[in-house]
Amino acid sequence: MTILDLVRLNLLSPMVLAFVLGGIATLVRSDLKFPEELYVGLSIYLLLAIGLKGGAALSETPFSVILWPALATLALGVLIPIVAYVILRRLGRFEIADAAALAAHYGSVSAVTFAAVQTFLEALKVPYEGFTPTLVALLEVPAIIVALLIARVAMGQGGNWGELIHELLASKSILLLLGGLLIGFLAGQSGLKQVAPLFVDPFKGVLTLFLLEMGMVAARRLGDLRKVGLFLVAFGILMPIASGTAGIWLGSLTGLSSGGAVVLGTLAASASYIAAPAAVRIALPQANPSFYLTASLAITFPFNLAIGIPLYYGLSNLFY
Amino acid sequence: MTILDLVRLNLLSPMVLAFVLGGIATLVRSDLKFPEELYVGLSIYLLLAIGLKGGAALSETPFSVILWPALATLALGVLIPIVAYVILRRLGRFEIADAAALAAHYGSVSAVTFAAVQTFLEALKVPYEGFTPTLVALLEVPAIIVALLIARVAMGQGGNWGELIHELLASKSILLLLGGLLIGFLAGQSGLKQVAPLFVDPFKGVLTLFLLEMGMVAARRLGDLRKVGLFLVAFGILMPIASGTAGIWLGSLTGLSSGGAVVLGTLAASASYIAAPAAVRIALPQANPSFYLTASLAITFPFNLAIGIPLYYGLSNLFY
Amino acid sequence: MTILDLVRLNLLSPMVLAFVLGGIATLVRSDLKFPEELYVGLSIYLLLAIGLKGGAALSETPFSVILWPALATLALGVLIPIVAYVILRRLGRFEIADAAALAAHYGSVSAVTFAAVQTFLEALKVPYEGFTPTLVALLEVPAIIVALLIARVAMGQGGNWGELIHELLASKSILLLLGGLLIGFLAGQSGLKQVAPLFVDPFKGVLTLFLLEMGMVAARRLGDLRKVGLFLVAFGILMPIASGTAGIWLGSLTGLSSGGAVVLGTLAASASYIAAPAAVRIALPQANPSFYLTASLAITFPFNLAIGIPLYYGLSNLFY
Amino acid sequence: MQKLKLVTIVAEAVLEERLLRELRHLGARGYTLVMARGEGTRGVHASSWEGPNLRIETLVAPEVAERIMTYVADHYFADYAVIVYSIDAEVIRGEKYL
Amino acid sequence: MQKLKLVTIVAEAVLEERLLRELRHLGARGYTLVMARGEGTRGVHASSWEGPNLRIETLVAPEVAERIMTYVADHYFADYAVIVYSIDAEVIRGEKYL
Amino acid sequence: MQKLKLVTIVAEAVLEERLLRELRHLGARGYTLVMARGEGTRGVHASSWEGPNLRIETLVAPEVAERIMTYVADHYFADYAVIVYSIDAEVIRGEKYL
Ligand SMILES: Nc1ncnc2c1ncn2[C@@H]1O[C@H](COP(=O)(O)O)[C@@H](O)[C@H]1O
Ligand SMILES: Nc1ncnc2c1ncn2[C@@H]1O[C@H](COP(=O)(O)O)[C@@H](O)[C@H]1O
Ligand SMILES: Nc1ncnc2c1ncn2[C@@H]1O[C@H](COP(=O)(O)O)[C@@H](O)[C@H]1O
Ligand code: NA
Ligand code: NA
Ligand code: NA
């Protein structure tokens, strides 16, 4: 298959189409609204399900197999925000707070993009390592800390680091992901089998529903696109391609399968819109949410969903 | 099976029993309450699921096969509200606004009744065309427009038609139904298979849950039965039988299978309580909701659910 | 398997682990919160699902088989609150209202504990009678009435009994359980099959989600443990062991299988935290909720979940 | 414009039916209810399934307001987690609230 | 501290978009909206899917408050289940509401 | 009847824990919280998962009310989407709020 075939295949998946439908619903000013509680419920489900599946797979993975990919993931979590910060300050001429906030988002990770790449690979029957959810968990936090550290040093401030790190680790997204991972790990594949009719089989359907809502949320941000400027639009597309390539390359170096490397690349390319915004809003309130939310939600997320994922899959051929 | 056997079989399905349980819950003043958000969530699910299944089936239907049934459906959508309006004005002596509001409801369609007839036919293993959700979408809107048109002409008013039609087409029920149809059509059967563990397999279970809530809603309207008068009670039972027969007949003329004709008949017989009330409340606020909500929800809906569907199935033997 | 093996097996089930995760979430002050509506939705699901399954099983059970176990259950529902009341007054020196409130809780039953024991036995492939949900329904109400009766007699009050009994029978938990039972009974196994992909297959997964929330709720009560005192902590552990043993014994006398006896024992051992608190709050407002909620939710519920159920299973060997 | 009182009651959810019935008897012609969370001096509520607090508002004549406040204080303050307060409000065509 | 008016509208959910648009035109600079249940003298609402009542609050200058109240009374009282009332409120740095 | 102030804060959800902690320190003895949607002059909020606005009400003594309003204005108005206002309220047995 050529990359174009892949894009077409991906664009016609129920998940991506649901995202588009959500966008249309907002654009035609439909009265369709997801109750807040449904959105929260679906998020809880997705994070827990990702964790559970990953944990059960991890329970059958030898430590030596996951060690190097895990270190590569941590390296990505430290390097991406530094590179992003420098680009945004130097080339983009953003304020310190705004550059750091964006860096935190692009260094961190989007669980839904992760779910989408899994679904994509499964549709193509490309195998990938079962422990990838562990990598999601590893990649979620460090970038946020690094970016906030940069901001505070650059602005000459101190700040309560203990509280911030506690807040990050206790934040619901990380707690559910890590908690699910641990439950899956302890309960093993036989435990997972008991709850598979809820947490495994309907997963893609729930993702479809969730992406319908995400499409509405992203489309509501489209109006802000003009405000954020052309530079940020370009950044929101090129940065993921760069990080994605780096992720695939590191994946190939550390012994991941080609499917696993595509996952790691997609994780690196994805931008957070759950953990990072909350942390940044508390720790860097001066940063303008229009920048980081619009870039992450209305540019990078749909780009990855529709084009990025098949692209990274195509790129992986250069390394394998 | 005689019609009576069918009624009995239908009455003891989990769906109809759940509806009855909901009614009992309200009558014994139980503190059971469905959270609003759960109700909205279930509605979103049902509409999307109906659309998805229909779209996937449509993707394998030649245009020539659906053309005539589609035209027949549109004809029903135009004729039923006119007939209903005349009956309600002449025989029932209703005000213009009230007659038009009722006509809009009876010309439009109830998605849950549609789901119930599907379930009924599947229990009997009677095949029907996969594109029937397309017919639901076609039948939902025209009657509302026709009925409002009648009202405005009769009351000598103008009004913003563009806005009304936009509001109808962008209304959540139609957006989800048509959107689901389109997603299913584009993703095809292989796309549907990916999300079937959420959108296909548990469908009847979700319908059961939804009907539990509908039973509570309908029973809350029972108190209004006295207010609406005997004429409306009779109308709420006889009108569906007439429209249902017309639907079956048109279905048989346009080449539908006997199962498909039962579906079209049931659609014609069903009265809307989602799209129509919202549109009427905005465009015809003088109309008394006691009339149209009570007739549609507390008379016609349970009648169709318990007796109508098996009756239309029995009637179809006259045409096939 | 020794009891210790069983405890270990049970502790590593996804359900118990999810409960622990919920506890941890609260203790690390995570911002994870279940929307109220999700909690209500899951409760509705669990009660209805338990009822449906039980009803379908009941539809294939001869009356003579269930008669004696049902009478044994009623006996437990009358005796446990009397014994509990006497212990709490004499040994614990509790106020009349507090002792009666606690007695109502320990005589009544916890639907989630029931679901947990079912899951436990199914994991061990131990068969048990399908009509056990009938026993849950039978055990839920009498104890509450007996306990409130004791309180009113002891305090020399009258009171509106008709209203109380009506409120209990119409309360959502009992309505859903009994209603589900009836639906399952009337629709039979073939009806249940239609809705099994929602109400049967994902049951353990939903239970896992629910226990995550329960863990949070229980952990929020941990702070009250000091207030309630050592006596109540001991009572919350020893009383279930005593009632559980009595339940197993009565089960063995009345012809239940050993699995069925374990279920009955667990029911007897479990303390209510849905029906009883609501009833007590209305009928005995002087009673201090710190006592009954903390004992039932933060002591007895986790004890049964983690240790009690395997223990009762082990104890059943003494009777079979 | 007419001057009325807006009486707000915050109470445990288990009291819903009873409070609404009593409000009607005390002379309220309508109410608006929202679910709320909260903390005060008593804390503990009935049950998790019963859920959070009710926040009930009712627009009434001043004498009805006083009646409601005294009634709630007398019947609920001792045993239940309930508060009640009253605010001046202006309405148009106030007859419907009287 | 500045004195403003807090205007509250309780209305059927189907009016949401329309009411918010009109509030803006009448001079409100912001609003806070909560879903609510309720009962009054009219009772019946549009549809179950549309759900319960809206409770919309907006902090505005006194003259805007009067305008809103008159407007709502004139346009909605006849056909819709709507109430509106106004309360005195104090704010800090009140320019943003004007 | 005693006269107190009902202070209402509408704020982005991400501030919940912090605001409630600070309210307690500033002298509030309780609060009632409702989730709300809304629009004002700043618009953008933290994240969709964090959800909509908080609407926090607290009945307090007049001097506490002033303290809360000044504190919120000083600490939040610059960077956060927050409003605060105060209303006169009457309560029965007002000691519990003081
Ligand atoms: N000072 C206060 N301000 C606002 N709401 C309060 C206050 N005190 C109590 N409440 C509310 O009233 C409920 C019952 O209060 P309490 O009886 O003090 O526990 C609490 O859960 C709060 O929702
Ligand atoms: N006296 C009242 N106090 C508080 N809310 C009211 C009152 N009357 C009506 N409402 C609210 O306004 C809505 C519409 O009222 P109505 O038009 O009287 O049916 C009701 O559903 C209530 O939420
Ligand atoms: N004039 C107003 N009246 C009522 N609520 C307002 C008003 N202005 C702002 N709000 C609320 O306060 C929140 C934050 O306001 P802002 O900081 O102006 O964006 C909004 O989301 C609204 O919920
Ligand atoms: Na990233
Ligand atoms: Na129809
Ligand atoms: Na018990």
Side-chain angles (χ1 to χ4, degrees):
Chain A
M1 277 197 221
T2 69
I3 291 192
L4 235 121
D5 285 333
L6 288 173
V7 173
R8 206 176 302 130
L9 177 83
N10 191 37
L11 286 180
L12 296 185
S13 76
M15 294 100 220
V16 173
L17 289 169
F19 183 81
V20 174
L21 179 61
I24 292 173
T26 296
L27 297 182
V28 303
R29 278 178 297 119
S30 168
D31 60 341
L32 177 64
K33 251 180 249 142
F34 266 50
E36 199 67 30
E37 290 76 12
L38 183 58
Y39 182 64
V40 174
L42 295 179
S43 305
I44 292 176
Y45 171 89
L46 289 178
L47 290 165
L48 206 56
I50 291 174
L52 283 171
K53 262 196 294 186
L58 197 61
S59 73
E60 302 183 336
T61 310
F63 180 67
S64 61
V65 170
I66 195 180
L67 178 64
W68 289 106
L71 289 177
T73 305
L74 284 176
L76 287 167
V78 172
L79 290 176
I80 293 176
I82 297 179
V83 173
Y85 179 81
V86 171
I87 293 175
L88 289 161
R89 282 287 285 165
R90 293 281 155 86
L91 302 181
R93 312 233 150 266
F94 280 89
E95 304 273 327
I96 293 177
D98 290 325
L102 279 160
H105 284 70
Y106 280 84
S108 184
V109 73
S110 144
V112 179
T113 311
F114 172 62
V117 72
Q118 288 186 304
T119 306
F120 177 79
L121 293 175
E122 277 156 27
L124 290 182
K125 307 215 188 316
V126 175
Y128 58 90
E129 282 75 8
F131 58 72
T132 46
T134 322
L135 307 184
V136 178
L138 283 177
L139 197 50
E140 188 138 30
V141 176
I144 300 177
I145 296 174
V146 169
L148 296 181
L149 198 62
I150 297 176
R152 299 212 174 167
V153 169
M155 298 194 291
Q157 294 178 341
N160 191 337
W161 285 96
E163 197 178 314
L164 179 71
I165 291 173
H166 169 264
E167 236 166 53
L168 273 173
L169 290 177
S171 80
K172 50 191 167 191
S173 48
I174 294 176
L175 190 115
L176 287 168
L177 203 58
L178 286 183
L181 209 63
L182 208 69
I183 294 178
F185 184 77
L186 292 173
Q189 291 291 358
S190 70
L192 182 64
K193 235 181 85 188
Q194 291 189 49
V195 296
L198 183 71
F199 286 112
V200 179
D201 307 339
F203 185 81
K204 291 174 198 174
V206 175
L207 191 59
T208 303
L209 219 48
F210 191 79
L211 283 171
L212 177 59
E213 160 74 5
M214 289 298 296
M216 292 192 268
V217 174
R220 259 177 256 137
R221 297 240 140 242
L222 280 185
D224 283 344
L225 268 192
R226 217 161 319 140
K227 275 192 239 164
V228 302
L230 214 68
F231 180 84
L232 201 50
V233 175
F235 178 85
I237 291 173
L238 298 177
M239 186 74 210
I241 298 181
S243 319
T245 312
I248 298 169
W249 177 62
L250 278 179
S252 75
L253 287 189
T254 53
L256 286 178
S257 70
S258 84
V262 172
V263 172
L264 184 57
T266 304
L267 290 179
S270 75
S272 164
Y273 42 81
I274 290 183
V280 163
R281 195 78 191 108
I282 291 285
L284 269 182
Q286 318 90 307
N288 184 347
S290 276
F291 292 142
Y292 53 79
L293 285 180
T294 308
S296 160
L297 254 173
I299 304 170
T300 301
F301 178 63
F303 168 76
N304 276 331
L305 204 63
I307 302 173
I309 292 176
L311 178 67
Y312 310 139
Y313 177 69
L315 287 177
S316 73
N317 290 325
L318 305 177
F319 298 89
Y320 283 86
Chain B
M1 276 198 220
T2 70
I3 291 193
L4 234 120
D5 284 333
L6 288 173
V7 174
R8 205 174 305 128
L9 177 82
N10 191 39
L11 286 180
L12 295 186
S13 76
M15 294 98 219
V16 173
L17 289 170
F19 183 82
V20 174
L21 179 61
I24 292 172
T26 296
L27 296 182
V28 302
R29 277 178 299 117
S30 167
D31 60 342
L32 178 63
K33 252 182 248 143
F34 266 50
E36 199 65 32
E37 291 76 12
L38 184 58
Y39 183 64
V40 174
L42 295 178
S43 305
I44 292 175
Y45 171 90
L46 289 178
L47 290 165
L48 206 57
I50 291 174
L52 282 171
K53 261 196 293 185
L58 197 62
S59 72
E60 303 183 334
T61 310
F63 179 68
S64 62
V65 170
I66 195 180
L67 178 65
W68 290 106
L71 289 176
T73 305
L74 282 176
L76 287 167
V78 172
L79 291 176
I80 293 175
I82 296 178
V83 172
Y85 179 81
V86 172
I87 294 176
L88 289 161
R89 283 287 285 164
R90 294 280 156 85
L91 302 183
R93 310 232 152 268
F94 279 89
E95 303 274 327
I96 292 177
D98 291 324
L102 279 159
H105 284 70
Y106 280 85
S108 184
V109 73
S110 146
V112 179
T113 311
F114 172 62
V117 72
Q118 287 186 305
T119 305
F120 177 78
L121 294 175
E122 276 155 29
L124 289 182
K125 307 216 187 315
V126 175
Y128 57 90
E129 283 74 8
F131 57 73
T132 45
T134 322
L135 306 184
V136 178
L138 283 176
L139 196 50
E140 186 137 31
V141 176
I144 300 177
I145 295 175
V146 169
L148 295 181
L149 198 63
I150 296 176
R152 299 212 176 168
V153 168
M155 298 193 291
Q157 292 178 342
N160 191 336
W161 283 96
E163 197 179 314
L164 179 71
I165 290 173
H166 169 264
E167 234 165 57
L168 273 173
L169 289 177
S171 79
K172 49 192 168 191
S173 49
I174 294 176
L175 190 116
L176 287 168
L177 203 57
L178 285 183
L181 209 62
L182 208 69
I183 294 179
F185 184 77
L186 293 172
Q189 292 291 359
S190 70
L192 182 63
K193 234 182 85 188
Q194 291 187 51
V195 297
L198 184 71
F199 287 112
V200 179
D201 306 338
F203 186 81
K204 291 175 198 172
V206 175
L207 191 58
T208 304
L209 219 47
F210 190 79
L211 283 170
L212 176 59
E213 160 74 6
M214 290 297 298
M216 292 191 267
V217 174
R220 259 178 256 137
R221 297 240 140 243
L222 280 185
D224 283 344
L225 268 192
R226 218 161 318 143
K227 277 192 238 163
V228 302
L230 214 68
F231 180 85
L232 201 50
V233 176
F235 178 84
I237 290 173
L238 298 177
M239 184 76 210
I241 297 180
S243 320
T245 312
I248 297 168
W249 177 62
L250 277 177
S252 74
L253 286 188
T254 54
L256 285 178
S257 68
S258 83
V262 172
V263 173
L264 184 57
T266 305
L267 290 179
S270 75
S272 166
Y273 42 81
I274 291 184
V280 163
R281 195 77 190 109
I282 291 286
L284 270 181
Q286 318 90 306
N288 184 347
S290 277
F291 292 143
Y292 54 78
L293 284 181
T294 308
S296 160
L297 255 172
I299 304 171
T300 301
F301 178 63
F303 169 75
N304 276 330
L305 204 63
I307 302 172
I309 292 176
L311 177 67
Y312 311 138
Y313 177 71
L315 287 178
S316 72
N317 291 325
L318 305 178
F319 298 91
Y320 283 87
Chain C
M1 275 197 222
T2 69
I3 291 193
L4 234 122
D5 286 333
L6 288 172
V7 173
R8 207 175 303 129
L9 177 83
N10 191 38
L11 285 181
L12 296 186
S13 77
M15 296 97 220
V16 173
L17 289 170
F19 183 81
V20 173
L21 179 61
I24 292 174
T26 296
L27 297 182
V28 303
R29 277 177 300 118
S30 168
D31 60 340
L32 177 63
K33 251 179 249 141
F34 266 51
E36 199 66 32
E37 291 77 10
L38 183 58
Y39 183 64
V40 174
L42 295 178
S43 306
I44 292 175
Y45 171 90
L46 289 178
L47 290 164
L48 206 56
I50 291 174
L52 282 172
K53 261 195 295 186
L58 197 61
S59 72
E60 304 183 333
T61 310
F63 179 68
S64 61
V65 170
I66 196 182
L67 178 65
W68 289 105
L71 290 177
T73 305
L74 283 177
L76 287 167
V78 172
L79 290 177
I80 293 176
I82 297 179
V83 173
Y85 179 81
V86 171
I87 293 175
L88 289 160
R89 283 287 285 165
R90 293 282 155 85
L91 301 182
R93 312 233 151 264
F94 280 89
E95 303 275 325
I96 292 177
D98 291 324
L102 279 159
H105 284 70
Y106 280 84
S108 184
V109 73
S110 146
V112 179
T113 309
F114 171 61
V117 72
Q118 288 185 305
T119 306
F120 177 79
L121 292 176
E122 277 157 26
L124 289 182
K125 308 215 187 320
V126 175
Y128 58 89
E129 282 75 7
F131 58 71
T132 45
T134 322
L135 306 185
V136 178
L138 284 177
L139 196 50
E140 188 137 29
V141 176
I144 300 177
I145 296 174
V146 169
L148 295 181
L149 199 63
I150 296 177
R152 299 212 175 167
V153 169
M155 299 194 289
Q157 293 179 342
N160 191 336
W161 284 97
E163 197 179 314
L164 179 71
I165 290 173
H166 169 263
E167 235 166 55
L168 272 174
L169 289 178
S171 79
K172 49 192 169 189
S173 48
I174 294 175
L175 190 116
L176 286 168
L177 203 58
L178 285 183
L181 209 63
L182 208 69
I183 294 178
F185 183 78
L186 293 172
Q189 290 291 358
S190 70
L192 182 64
K193 233 182 87 187
Q194 291 188 52
V195 297
L198 184 70
F199 287 111
V200 178
D201 306 338
F203 186 80
K204 291 175 198 171
V206 176
L207 190 59
T208 304
L209 219 46
F210 191 79
L211 283 171
L212 177 59
E213 161 74 5
M214 289 299 296
M216 292 191 269
V217 174
R220 260 178 254 136
R221 297 241 142 243
L222 280 186
D224 283 345
L225 269 192
R226 218 159 320 141
K227 276 192 239 164
V228 303
L230 214 68
F231 180 84
L232 201 50
V233 175
F235 178 84
I237 291 173
L238 298 177
M239 185 76 209
I241 298 181
S243 320
T245 312
I248 298 169
W249 176 62
L250 277 177
S252 74
L253 286 189
T254 54
L256 286 177
S257 69
S258 85
V262 173
V263 173
L264 185 57
T266 305
L267 291 178
S270 76
S272 165
Y273 41 81
I274 291 184
V280 162
R281 196 75 191 111
I282 291 285
L284 268 182
Q286 319 88 303
N288 184 348
S290 277
F291 291 142
Y292 54 78
L293 284 180
T294 308
S296 160
L297 255 172
I299 302 170
T300 301
F301 178 63
F303 168 76
N304 276 331
L305 203 62
I307 302 173
I309 293 176
L311 177 67
Y312 310 138
Y313 177 69
L315 287 178
S316 73
N317 291 325
L318 304 178
F319 299 90
Y320 283 88
Chain D
M1 302 257 177
Q2 269 155 285
K3 296 210 174 295
L4 293 178
K5 292 280 179 184
L6 179 72
V7 177
T8 305
I9 303 172
V10 181
E12 356 183 347
V14 70
L15 296 175
E16 173 169 344
E17 212 185 324
R18 195 162 139 193
L19 276 172
L20 295 180
R21 198 187 330 128
E22 290 163 351
L23 280 181
R24 217 170 304 127
H25 288 165
L26 291 163
R29 302 290 305 274
Y31 67 89
T32 298
L33 185 159
V34 155
M35 302 313 289
R37 286 183 277 142
E39 266 178 50
T41 49
R42 271 162 300 205
V44 173
H45 291 202
S47 115
S48 337
W49 200 10
E50 296 314 312
N53 283 341
L54 312 167
R55 182 184 178 284
I56 305 175
E57 286 173 324
T58 180
L59 267 174
V60 291
E63 59 277 10
V64 177
E66 245 194 85
R67 228 183 298 151
I68 293 175
M69 292 190 56
T70 325
Y71 183 91
V72 168
D74 291 351
H75 288 74
Y76 291 99
F77 277 15
D79 288 329
Y80 294 98
V82 172
I83 68 167
V84 59
Y85 55 85
S86 159
I87 290 173
D88 292 322
E90 284 175 303
V91 300
I92 272 187
R93 305 191 205 148
E95 318 77 48
K96 77 170 284 194
Y97 310 103
L98 300 179
Chain E
M1 301 256 178
Q2 271 156 282
K3 295 207 175 299
L4 292 177
K5 292 280 178 184
L6 179 73
V7 177
T8 304
I9 303 172
V10 181
E12 352 183 351
V14 71
L15 297 175
E16 172 170 344
E17 212 185 322
R18 196 163 139 191
L19 276 172
L20 295 181
R21 197 186 330 127
E22 290 164 351
L23 279 182
R24 217 171 303 127
H25 287 164
L26 291 163
R29 302 290 306 274
Y31 68 86
T32 297
L33 187 160
V34 155
M35 302 312 290
R37 285 184 278 143
E39 265 179 53
T41 49
R42 273 163 299 206
V44 173
H45 290 202
S47 114
S48 337
W49 199 10
E50 296 314 311
N53 285 341
L54 312 168
R55 183 183 179 284
I56 304 175
E57 286 173 324
T58 179
L59 266 175
V60 291
E63 58 278 9
V64 177
E66 245 195 85
R67 229 184 297 151
I68 294 175
M69 293 191 56
T70 325
Y71 183 92
V72 168
D74 291 351
H75 288 75
Y76 292 98
F77 277 15
D79 288 329
Y80 294 98
V82 171
I83 67 167
V84 59
Y85 54 85
S86 159
I87 291 172
D88 292 321
E90 284 174 303
V91 298
I92 272 188
R93 304 191 207 147
E95 318 79 48
K96 76 169 287 192
Y97 310 102
L98 303 178
Chain F
M1 301 253 182
Q2 268 154 286
K3 295 207 177 297
L4 292 178
K5 293 279 178 182
L6 179 73
V7 177
T8 305
I9 303 172
V10 181
E12 352 183 350
V14 69
L15 296 175
E16 173 169 344
E17 211 185 323
R18 197 163 136 191
L19 275 171
L20 294 181
R21 198 186 329 129
E22 290 164 351
L23 279 181
R24 218 169 305 125
H25 287 165
L26 290 163
R29 302 291 306 273
Y31 67 88
T32 297
L33 186 159
V34 155
M35 301 313 288
R37 284 184 279 143
E39 265 179 50
T41 50
R42 273 163 299 205
V44 173
H45 290 202
S47 116
S48 337
W49 200 11
E50 296 313 312
N53 284 341
L54 312 167
R55 182 183 179 285
I56 305 175
E57 286 174 324
T58 179
L59 267 175
V60 291
E63 59 279 9
V64 177
E66 246 194 83
R67 229 184 298 153
I68 293 175
M69 291 189 59
T70 324
Y71 183 91
V72 168
D74 291 350
H75 288 75
Y76 292 99
F77 277 15
D79 289 328
Y80 294 99
V82 171
I83 67 167
V84 59
Y85 55 87
S86 159
I87 291 173
D88 293 321
E90 284 175 303
V91 299
I92 272 188
R93 304 191 207 149
E95 320 76 48
K96 76 170 284 196
Y97 311 104
L98 301 179

